[in-house]
Amino acid sequence: MAARHISKQQAQGDTAQEADARKRWVNNLFGYWRVCAARVCKRTRGCAGDPYACFERWWWITPEAPKVQFRAYIKASCAGLSPQDALREADAEVERAAEHIARVDAETARAWEAKVAAEKADAPDPARGVHHRAALCADPVASHPLAASGEREERKGPRVRAL
């Protein structure tokens, strides 16, 4: 675990396990396990790897509206509002921040397109038969188009392993 996470935990009075559980909860709330390359996350249908690395990998590409709603809900809950009132306040904040959300989502889309274009320029040429596992697995969304589109991957049968 990184030192920066430990110092935050000590300041909040949390143990390392409590901080990890909280970060896993956030990752699960945003559904990062659906696009995670770690098979253990897909099997458990939740964050089961390094929650901090996963959060840093996916937070920047998460749409801005759920981020704004999440932050507003936390603030409203800390202010003592009931869960229903906190949700209403969070929804109202999303409506108030519509212009900001549209601007940030457009910037994120441009950054994503630039990243994909840069990776395509560096990718090996499949027509020449050059396959490099690291290049294929560098971007889990690109290597799993069903996960990126939000469609469920259908399995033909149970996963069986012989001992």
Side-chain angles (χ1 to χ4, degrees):
M1 183 176 300
R4 67 174 190 251
H5 301 301
I6 293 173
S7 63
K8 275 183 168 179
Q9 295 162 5
Q10 290 172 348
Q12 295 174 351
D14 291 344
T15 65
Q17 292 80 14
E18 290 170 337
D20 287 352
R22 186 178 304 107
K23 188 60 78 173
R24 284 183 203 286
W25 181 83
V26 171
N27 291 349
N28 290 340
L29 178 70
F30 286 99
Y32 295 155
W33 64 271
R34 291 182 178 101
V35 292
C36 185
R39 290 182 180 178
V40 67
C41 296
K42 294 215 187 290
R43 276 194 307 270
T44 60
R45 294 178 186 240
C47 183
D50 179 6
Y52 298 98
C54 187
F55 183 82
E56 289 178 18
R57 184 178 307 118
W58 297 111
W59 182 253
W60 76 274
I61 199 165
T62 301
E64 190 65 15
K67 289 180 185 180
V68 169
Q69 186 178 31
F70 177 70
R71 291 175 186 131
Y73 184 86
I74 296 296
K75 286 179 185 176
S77 293
C78 290
L81 294 176
S82 70
Q84 294 83 8
D85 291 339
L87 186 58
R88 277 193 284 277
E89 179 64 30
D91 290 340
E93 181 62 28
V94 169
E95 289 178 18
R96 283 190 294 269
E99 186 177 311
H100 163 77
I101 291 168
R103 188 183 74 247
V104 171
D105 283 345
E107 290 172 8
T108 303
R110 283 192 295 274
W112 177 258
E113 289 169 2
K115 179 181 179 195
V116 168
E119 287 176 355
K120 282 184 180 180
D122 294 339
D125 185 8
R128 294 188 352 214
V130 178
H131 299 287
H132 189 261
R133 184 161 171 76
L136 294 174
C137 297
D139 185 7
V141 175
S143 62
H144 300 293
L146 288 178
S149 67
E151 295 180 28
R152 290 192 55 169
E153 181 179 328
E154 296 203 22
R155 298 184 192 260
K156 294 182 180 178
R159 178 181 272 178
V160 178
R161 292 188 180 155
L163 296 176

